[in-house]
Each structure stands twice: as C-alpha cells, then as structure tokens.
Amino acid sequence: PLAYLLIGLIAILALVIIYLTQFFDANSYKPLIIEQAEKAGVPLQLNGDIEVTVFPWLGASIEGVKVLHPDNRDAQQPFAEVNQAGVKLKFMPLLSGNVEVDRIVLDGLYADLEVDKNGQGNWQAFIPIPTDPQGSTQEQSTPTTETPQDTDSSAPPAFALAVAGIDITNTRLNYTDHSQNLSAQIKQLDLHSDRITLGQAFPITLSTEISSSNPDLNAKLQLSSQVYLDLAQQIYQLEQLQLDLNAHTPLVSPKPFNVQLQSNIKAQMQSSDIQVSGLNITLNDLSYPLAENDNAQIDMTLQADAALNLHQQIYQLSKLIANGSVKSQLTGDQPLKLQLSSSASADLQKQQAVLNNTQISLAELNIGVQAAVEKLSENPQATGQLQIPPFSPKELLQRLKIQLPEMADNSVLSHLALTTNLSLNNNVASLQDIQLTADQSLLTGQTGINLNTQAMFATLNLDQINLDRYLPPISEASETENTDQPAPQPPSQPKATEESDLIPVDALKPLQAKAKITVDNLVVKKHPISNILLDLDANKGLIKLKAANAHLYQGKIKNTAQLNLNKTPIQMQFSNRTDGIQLNPLLTTAAEF
C-alpha cells in the first residue's frame, strides 16, 4: 500500500508539472496582478511576457515592468521601471526546508525620487495610510507577556540559503530635493556576485558612477570584497574589501583626485562588536590652492585598526599611522613630508577618552601630544602634555621657501624647544608649566583662554634676550651716509584724524584679558634694560596698564595708563615717574646709532 501511495503522489506531481509547463499560461494572470497592485496603491504596466518554470527550478521572470505614480500615471515618465527581473528556486530542496536559488537577475532598474518644496517625497504616495490609528496605537501599547525563554524555545530553525549568484545591471537612480536645491544621480550601477551560501565567504563586485549638484560632485566607484553571512549567529564580514574612488568636487580639490581603501570588517551583532583590521587608505593627487598660480599637491596614506562595541559604547583606534607629502612652489623640488602616529580610545558610558603617544612630524619639526578627557558630554575636563624637541626654525623656514630678513647674527633662530602641560577645566583651556627655549632665551609661565567669555590670561617670564642679534646689521657705509646726509625735514602736519581711526575701538572694546609679563634682562640698540614689568588688565572697553616698569642705567622708570573706550569722547590717562637714570652712559650708547 505504501508503494502505491508513493507512485500515486509521483504521478500527481508529474501531471502537475506537465500541466504547468505545457498548458499553464502565466500571462493570463497579468490583469489580475495589475488589479491587485492597483488595490495596493501601486499602478503597474506589464509590457513583457511572464515566464514560469516548475522543475527543477520553481521561478518566474518578467520584462518591461513600469511603476506609475498614483497622481499622474504618466507611462512616459514612470516613477520606476525594470527591463528584466527574474528568480528561480530549486523545487526539491524546499521540501527539506532549504532554499537554493538560481541567479537573481535585475536589469535596467530606474527610479526617479523627488522631494517637493514642502519636503514631501513622491514615494510617500505609495505608503498606505493607517485606517484605524487609535486601534493601532492601543495594539502597540498593549504589553506582551512573551518571555525571552518562550521566544527562544519557539523559534523555527533557520533556513539554509544558497544563491547561485546575483546580477544587477544598468541601474539608474535620480534624486531631486527642491526644498534643499540639490540633485544627485546614480548613472550606472552594476552589482555581481558568484554563488552565495550562508556560512561561507562569497565574492561580490560593485561599480557605479555618481554625480550631484549643490554640492558639485562627479565620481566613479569600484568595490570588491569577500562577503561572509551567518544569519543565525548574526556575524557579518567583509574580507579583502577594496574600494577605488575617482572623484572631482570643488569642496575638496579644484582637480580630480583618487582614494583607495583596503580593509577587513567583521561585525558580531549579538555582542555589538565591530572590528576593522588592516585599514589602509591612500589619497593621491589632491590639490589645494595656496596662491593664484600655486596649488599644493597632496598625497597621503593612512593605516589603522579599530574596535567598536556599540552596546557598551567603547571605541578604540590603534596602530594609526599616516604618511603624507605636500609639493608646491613653496616646497621646491623636494616635497614636504608629514608623518603621524597615534592611538586613542573612548568610553562614552564612563564619559572618558584618551589620546596616547601621538607623534606629529613636519620636516624638521616634531610634536608629541598625549591627553585624557573626562565628562565628555557635560563639562569636559582634560589634562595632557605637549612636547616639541629642539629643532631649527631657520632650517624649517628655509625649507618652506620663506625668506627671512637679514639679521646681525646669522646663528639666531637655530634652536627652539617647548614642553608644556595642557589643561581644560570649567571651560578654561590653558598651557601650564611652559618651558620655551629659543636660542639662549627661556620663557616660562602659563597662558590660557576662557572658552565661554573669550577672556584671556597670561603670566610669563623671559629670562634674557638680546634683540640686537635679530635686528638688521648696521654697516659702516650706512653710518657714513647717515652722517653726511642733511638733517631730515620735519614731516608735514597730518590732517585731523578721528579717534576711531587712531584707536581701533571695535577691536579693543570686547577685549577681556589679564597679562603679567616680566623680562629679567633685555638688550636693544645696545641699551641694557632689566626688571621689565608689563601688567595689563582689559575688561570690555576699560583697559588698564597697571605697570610698564623697567630698570636701566642705575635708574628706574615707572609708567601707568588707562584707556576708557566706554566714554564719549574716549578718556586716556597717563602717569610717569623716572628716577636716577645716568644720562652720560645712556647718551654715549645712543650716540653709536
């Protein structure tokens, strides 16, 4: 009896297959398909034939499909159209709960997406309006009694999916937003893949051309990768990802540039972990205008690894290495080298971030930075260190083709070094414990700014400086010429000038600053000056020079001043006191100039 039953089932199945393949006309159902689509609010035109296969493939293909917009139903300007679409499923594996798909074909997809001036998209006409929003709201708000254990126990087994391949060709998309005055087009999009099997890596390639206006952009993109999908474990991978982008946009560069990217990306969505390894980005031929006839050509490579935990909001960037070069008329024949190495991490739940061992190199200039930040979203608090090892500013400026004026001492600007601590506390950013060495001079102290009020402060001390070394040399010929020249005529009296022209009121009035600067020893025009003190307090239009003091030639000079920009007319006050200056050595030194 069982054998007869099997034979009967096979016979029935054979008769069904013969009927569907020899006598069934799928095109007779086109009016029904159009009618059902119309009821769903999607006007269709089916201009091609529907082909149906039953064994060994259960599937269908169709040509000449147009989706009309419900408002105008213009077949000449459809909302979307497809030249050909088709898919086939193997019949026998379906009986065992598996899905094996032949190549999925989609050719000539076109869609025209448009947003009007009121921000409404033309695709919204296809979205059905709920008939009973109150009932829907009540249904959504009803608490569920299902427990996670019930869900896990009743979950059906996952299908085994295998697809012989996907071919999406000649895809074109238009997007226009009249409210933002922008438009974008995907002129050509092709997507291909070989056999797709869950739990195994399969290749995929994509190429497209993109253009847009406001902003202006023209780009060609090619992408290839090995894709791994495990739907049960929610593991997704892009292995050997390669992206090549050729683009031209005035927002970035006046000339076309190229970007290449290689990486491996793994996402484990159950644990919310994303890992990016072997990230390598190459930027070539980026142009940046420096002057009317000079563009800087920039080439750069970047390497990094990254780990992200989206659930715990922990982000790590490690092994970041960037190498770049800049070539222009300023850099001469040899490009200017730029290097960067760093690592960083952030924990948004703890509101903490750390920047570790960051090294920046520009030609002969090296900069080291490390910092730690807390309370990221509320009131950021940061501490860190900044260090610049000794280098020659003169050599760097010469490397940049920056012409320096002639100086009396050719050895100056040969040594510069800096160490300081960085601080951000209560919206006050500051440099503390400054140790700046320039040639034989040492500058110490602190300086900073209040980021809310823009009030600045500084307390600085300079141990010594000889300005004569930095001034132009005085030759004997120029001294002789100056001696023989007749005394200069006094300049003609200038025309009356408004106070607003003499004093930049608009620039000085909002100034908030407190500065106390001391110089132990200063030499200028061979005059030795010591114990210099400048004490300034500026507060929204009231500028007080509390002290402008100095010692010279066994005497003292004390000055104070006040400028009130809030009064009309502007009020100025000066006070000077000079004691014990020896005129003989002063005049003797001054006579040399």
Side-chain angles (χ1 to χ4, degrees):
L2 180 60
Y4 291 129
L5 178 61
L6 292 175
I7 293 174
L9 291 175
I10 294 173
I12 294 173
L13 180 61
L15 291 174
V16 171
I17 293 174
I18 292 173
Y19 169 76
L20 292 176
T21 56
Q22 301 298 323
F23 304 102
F24 177 73
D25 183 12
N27 289 291
S28 63
Y29 288 86
K30 287 168 61 174
L32 179 61
I33 295 174
I34 295 174
E35 179 184 353
Q36 294 300 318
E38 183 72 29
K39 291 181 179 180
V42 183
L44 284 183
Q45 274 194 0
L46 303 180
N47 301 317
D49 292 334
I50 302 175
E51 296 183 1
V52 175
T53 60
V54 178
F55 192 84
W57 299 99
L58 177 65
S61 64
I62 189 170
E63 297 180 353
V65 179
K66 288 187 177 182
V67 179
L68 308 183
H69 197 277
D71 295 338
N72 54 34
R73 300 174 181 267
D74 186 358
Q76 300 300 321
Q77 295 181 339
F79 171 79
E81 60 181 315
V82 178
N83 289 341
Q84 180 185 12
V87 63
K88 296 179 181 179
L89 306 179
K90 268 193 174 181
F91 182 79
M92 296 305 294
L94 289 176
L95 302 179
S96 61
N98 298 325
V99 180
E100 293 189 18
V101 185
D102 192 14
R103 300 194 73 84
I104 299 174
V105 176
L106 183 64
D107 178 69
L109 170 63
Y110 169 81
D112 195 353
L113 308 177
E114 188 173 359
V115 178
D116 61 22
K117 294 183 178 181
N118 298 321
Q120 297 295 316
N122 60 349
W123 62 88
Q124 293 178 320
F126 297 97
I127 302 175
I129 301 175
T131 57
D132 187 10
Q134 293 182 353
S136 175
T137 303
Q138 293 175 358
E139 182 180 353
Q140 292 177 2
S141 62
T142 304
T144 177
T145 58
E146 183 180 2
T147 62
Q149 289 79 5
D150 295 336
T151 302
D152 294 338
S153 61
S154 61
F159 279 102
L161 175 65
V163 181
I166 296 176
D167 291 318
I168 300 176
T169 55
N170 301 316
T171 298
R172 297 175 295 121
L173 300 175
N174 286 338
Y175 176 79
T176 304
D177 189 338
H178 296 285
S179 64
Q180 302 292 331
N181 191 28
L182 62 86
S183 64
Q185 300 84 36
I186 295 179
K187 300 178 181 178
Q188 182 79 21
L189 186 147
D190 295 328
L191 175 66
H192 302 279
S193 74
D194 286 339
R195 182 173 181 83
I196 301 174
T197 304
L198 295 181
Q200 297 180 15
F202 57 89
I204 188 171
T205 61
L206 181 146
S207 63
T208 185
E209 296 182 16
I210 304 172
S211 65
S212 69
S213 61
N214 190 25
D216 294 334
L217 169 68
N218 288 285
K220 292 183 178 180
L221 182 145
Q222 291 184 335
L223 181 147
S224 64
S225 179
Q226 294 284 332
V227 180
Y228 178 90
L229 303 174
D230 188 334
L231 302 183
Q233 300 296 325
Q234 297 186 43
I235 299 176
Y236 312 97
Q237 295 185 65
L238 294 177
E239 300 173 350
Q240 303 174 24
L241 172 65
Q242 293 189 358
L243 183 147
D244 194 324
L245 173 67
N246 290 287
H248 182 201
T249 170
L251 293 178
V252 178
S253 172
K255 298 181 180 180
F257 60 93
N258 174 262
V259 178
Q260 296 179 349
L261 180 148
Q262 297 87 34
S263 182
N264 297 305
I265 303 174
K266 180 178 181 180
Q268 295 177 298
M269 302 314 298
Q270 286 185 346
S271 58
S272 300
D273 286 325
I274 300 177
Q275 295 180 347
V276 180
S277 60
L279 177 64
N280 191 317
I281 301 176
T282 302
L283 175 65
N284 293 319
D285 301 327
L286 182 64
S287 182
Y288 183 80
L290 296 177
E292 183 176 356
N293 297 319
D294 187 16
N295 288 330
Q297 180 177 326
I298 303 172
D299 298 319
M300 182 171 291
T301 61
L302 184 146
Q303 300 174 349
D305 291 339
L308 300 82
N309 187 295
L310 303 181
H311 177 68
Q312 298 180 358
Q313 295 183 300
I314 297 176
Y315 310 95
Q316 294 181 338
L317 180 66
S318 60
K319 300 179 182 179
L320 173 62
I321 299 176
N323 292 282
S325 65
V326 180
K327 187 175 182 181
S328 71
Q329 295 179 7
L330 292 178
T331 61
D333 297 333
Q334 297 296 325
L336 187 66
K337 299 294 185 180
L338 172 67
Q339 294 180 334
L340 167 68
S341 63
S342 180
S343 63
S345 62
D347 188 332
L348 298 188
Q349 289 187 351
K350 295 182 178 180
Q351 293 293 297
Q352 295 176 345
V354 177
L355 182 66
N356 293 318
N357 301 323
T358 299
Q359 299 291 328
I360 305 173
S361 298
L362 177 64
E364 296 81 9
L365 174 63
N366 298 309
I367 302 175
V369 182
Q370 58 182 13
V373 185
E374 297 182 353
K375 301 180 181 179
L376 287 171
S377 62
E378 302 173 359
N379 183 17
Q381 313 288 315
T383 58
Q385 293 81 38
L386 171 65
Q387 183 175 13
I388 301 178
F391 75 103
S392 173
K394 177 183 288 186
E395 293 181 3
L396 177 60
L397 295 175
Q398 290 175 347
R399 178 71 182 80
L400 297 175
K401 302 296 181 181
I402 298 177
Q403 186 67 34
L404 290 172
E406 187 179 4
M407 300 181 188
D409 188 347
N410 291 328
S411 66
V412 297
L413 299 181
S414 61
H415 178 90
L416 181 67
L418 170 67
T419 60
T420 184
N421 293 325
L422 310 174
S423 175
L424 176 62
N425 191 7
N426 294 326
N427 290 311
V428 176
S430 62
L431 300 179
Q432 300 176 347
D433 303 321
I434 297 174
Q435 297 279 331
L436 174 62
T437 304
D439 295 329
Q440 283 77 39
S441 302
L442 175 62
L443 179 70
T444 59
Q446 64 176 353
T447 184
I449 183 172
N450 188 309
L451 301 179
N452 288 337
T453 65
Q454 301 300 308
M456 298 175 287
F457 63 91
T459 302
L460 301 171
N461 173 258
L462 181 63
D463 64 344
Q464 59 156 343
I465 187 170
N466 187 342
L467 293 180
D468 291 345
R469 302 173 62 199
Y470 301 87
L471 296 176
I474 298 181
S475 62
E476 295 180 359
S478 62
E479 293 178 356
T480 305
E481 292 172 1
N482 291 337
T483 304
D484 296 337
Q485 290 293 331
Q489 297 295 324
S492 58
Q493 294 295 326
K495 296 181 180 180
T497 307
E498 297 291 336
E499 287 181 345
S500 59
D501 295 331
L502 291 172
I503 301 174
V505 176
D506 293 338
L508 293 177
K509 199 166 185 178
L511 181 64
Q512 298 182 76
K514 289 186 178 183
K516 189 174 184 179
I517 302 173
T518 58
V519 181
D520 296 339
N521 292 285
L522 167 67
V523 176
V524 55
K525 297 290 186 178
K526 294 188 178 181
H527 295 296
I529 307 174
S530 62
N531 298 327
I532 298 173
L533 170 62
L534 296 176
D535 192 350
L536 176 70
D537 188 348
N539 187 15
K540 296 183 178 180
L542 182 60
I543 303 174
K544 297 180 180 179
L545 183 61
K546 296 181 178 181
N549 304 340
H551 291 188
L552 70 162
Y553 296 108
Q554 303 180 23
K556 300 178 182 179
I557 296 178
K558 294 183 178 181
N559 296 287
T560 61
Q562 180 172 299
L563 178 62
N564 193 336
L565 303 176
N566 299 318
K567 298 290 186 177
T568 304
I570 294 173
Q571 293 183 356
M572 294 180 285
Q573 298 177 357
F574 299 94
S575 174
N576 169 265
R577 180 174 179 177
T578 303
D579 291 326
I581 293 180
Q582 302 298 310
L583 292 179
N584 185 41
L586 186 152
L587 296 176
T588 301
T589 303
E592 299 182 18
F593 293 90

